[in-house]
């Protein structure tokens, strides 16, 4: 499904020989943003997009709220609705300028008191293919600064694969990835802002989500200190067998993988028994272990 990681400054890993099915050459960016320095952050994303395209990538995944820096309260108090709209335009322009599809995360549209944390997939012309609002906000600072989304993860066609969008904490809930998989997703893209001390999310939970749903999950994080938070790095790309095929560690730069729609070894989706699970919830059952 993938080849080894190649970080910025190293030769990019070569793409494998063409297979029999559709594939997407994925680049994942990990870096440290400067809170509220939008021009500097956009310049980093612009450089990453150019490098990824030169390495043959079709699609670049970037971290949660990278263009603003991960600083929820500062964003709420300082990033206007007009500035947020400009970010969408500028990020779409990066995709079009470098002829590469892009997944980015930014504050949503509208007044600060009503907006969520969003992610968007734009194609190589800058056209929006999908947009998603984070449904599970993490911690008091996010909950005081943004509104949670209620729509399910979008699942859209891209170069023959089905791509779903989530954001950060969403991936820690098995129901969210399972919903995307049940609606056909084969590649789940997750911008994130994971702090030090929680690396097991990337190393344990994300592989579990991939394996139990037979999907590839790419999880793109910041690295370093932003607005007083020490962000963990540990960005990963995990194959549908649950194996981590690219791990950025604490480095800054790009990782690569070639993603295909490989069939599952164990088809958990086909073997589910949803009617049984509903009966457990909808009726009284003996939970003491005495039922036959």
């Amino acid at each position: 499904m993938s080849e080894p990681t190649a970080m910025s400054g190293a030769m990019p890993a070569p793409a494998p020989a063409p297979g029999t099915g559709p594939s997407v050459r994925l680049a994942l960016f990990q870096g440290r943003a400067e809170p509220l320095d939008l021009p500097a952050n956009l310049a980093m994303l612009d450089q990453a997009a150019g490098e990824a395209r030169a390495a043959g990538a079709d699609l670049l995944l970037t971290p949660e709220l990278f263009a603003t820096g991960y600083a929820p309260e500062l964003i709420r108090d300082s990033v206007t609705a007009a500035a947020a709209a400009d970010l969408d335009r500028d990020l779409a322009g990066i995709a079009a300028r470098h002829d590469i599809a892009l997944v980015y995360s930014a504050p949503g549209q509208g007044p600060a008191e009503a907006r969520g944390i969003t992610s968007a997939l734009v194609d190589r012309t800058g056209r929006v293919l999908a947009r998603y609002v984070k449904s599970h906000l993490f911690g008091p600072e996010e909950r005081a600064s943004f509104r949670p989304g209620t729509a399910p993860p979008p699942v859209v066609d891209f170069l023959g694969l089905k791509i779903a969008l989530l954001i950060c904490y969403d991936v820690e809930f098995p129901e969210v990835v399972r919903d995307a998989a049940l609606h056909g997703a084969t590649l789940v893209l997750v911008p994130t802002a994971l702090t030090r001390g929680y690396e097991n999310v990337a190393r344990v939970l994300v592989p579990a989500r991939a394996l139990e749903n037979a999907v590839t999950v790419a999880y793109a994080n910041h690295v370093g200190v932003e607005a007083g938070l020490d962000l963990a790095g540990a960005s990963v790309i995990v194959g549908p067998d649950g194996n981590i095929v690219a791990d950025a560690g604490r480095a800054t730069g790009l990782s690569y993988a070639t993603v295909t729609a490989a069939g599952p070894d164990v088809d958990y989706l086909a073997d589910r028994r949803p009617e049984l699970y509903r009966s457990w919830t909808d009726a009284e059952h003996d939970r003491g272990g005495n039922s036959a």
Side-chain angles (χ1 to χ4, degrees), residues 247-264:
D247 186 338
R250 293 281 294 173
T252 294
L254 292 162
S255 303
Y256 298 92
T258 297
V259 182
T260 60

Side-chain angles (χ1 to χ4, degrees), residues 66-93:
F66 192 86
T68 55
Y70 182 77
E73 290 180 346
L74 292 177
I75 294 168
R76 178 195 63 200
D77 295 340
S78 303
V79 177
T80 65
D86 287 345
L87 274 181
D88 278 332
R89 180 202 63 207
D90 293 341
L91 289 158

